[in-house]
Amino acid sequence: AGFKDNLYGVMCIAENSVGPNATRPDDIHTMYSGKTVEINNTDAEGRLVLADGVYYAWKDLGAEIILDIATLTGAQGISTGKYHAAHMSNSEEWEHKVFEAGKSSGDLSFPVVYCPEMQFPEFKSVVADMKNSVASRSNAQPSCAGLF
């Protein structure tokens, strides 16, 4: 009886502030994974620390399932409105579980498009492995933010 697996909570917290050490457009960050990211949007700072946290959970903690709960993009409100959350998953089973959990709890959540092959080009960079924000704001921004 009871929960027998390991359960970890990794807090990925960013502060968007101004100062001499603040990130600037065109900076290149090296992520915990070793990938490099060209900064083309300084307001997309949360996804940088979240990506490091997800990689840490996978690599250092050995997590088999990672549930990321974040407020990464204002574009989500445009796609699902102010009364519904958005979620995405690389697993149809988990996508459906989150949808059903939202229905049963009253915290409604709707799946957004998960289509990496169509969205990875949005992050193309000539000076790093990728950029931290999309090239086109008209190409499923919530999905791109989640994909990052």
Side-chain angles (χ1 to χ4, degrees):
F3 188 78
K4 296 184 179 168
D5 293 317
N6 291 325
L7 178 64
Y8 301 100
V10 178
M11 301 294 290
C12 306
I13 301 171
E15 180 182 9
N16 190 354
S17 63
V18 177
N21 296 321
T23 296
R24 293 176 176 86
D26 300 326
D27 281 356
I28 307 271
H29 285 220
T30 300
M31 305 297 288
Y32 184 58
S33 66
K35 298 238 182 228
T36 55
V37 178
E38 175 188 359
I39 305 303
N40 66 329
N41 182 344
T42 57
D43 196 34
E45 77 289 349
R47 64 187 67 179
L48 298 170
V49 294
L50 181 60
D52 279 349
V54 167
Y55 190 81
Y56 170 80
W58 173 76
K59 181 179 182 276
D60 295 342
L61 300 177
E64 295 175 20
I65 297 171
I66 298 174
L67 179 60
D68 145 21
I69 302 170
T71 58
L72 289 184
T73 179
Q76 173 274 320
I78 294 167
S79 65
T80 61
K82 61 183 180 179
Y83 300 113
H84 298 82
H87 65 273
M88 69 181 300
S89 177
N90 61 353
S91 160
E92 284 187 44
E93 176 187 2
W94 277 93
E95 181 179 276
H96 184 71
K97 285 181 179 188
V98 171
F99 176 75
E100 289 300 324
K103 278 182 21 183
S104 67
S105 70
D107 293 319
L108 301 174
S109 186
F110 192 79
V112 294
V113 174
Y114 178 74
C115 189
E117 63 277 8
M118 300 296 286
Q119 295 160 337
F120 273 131
E122 290 291 332
F123 298 100
K124 186 175 174 149
S125 170
V126 296
V127 295
D129 292 314
M130 65 188 306
K131 292 184 180 182
N132 76 318
S133 191
V134 295
S136 169
R137 293 191 176 266
S138 63
N139 189 12
Q141 278 187 281
S143 301
C144 288
L147 180 62
F148 181 89

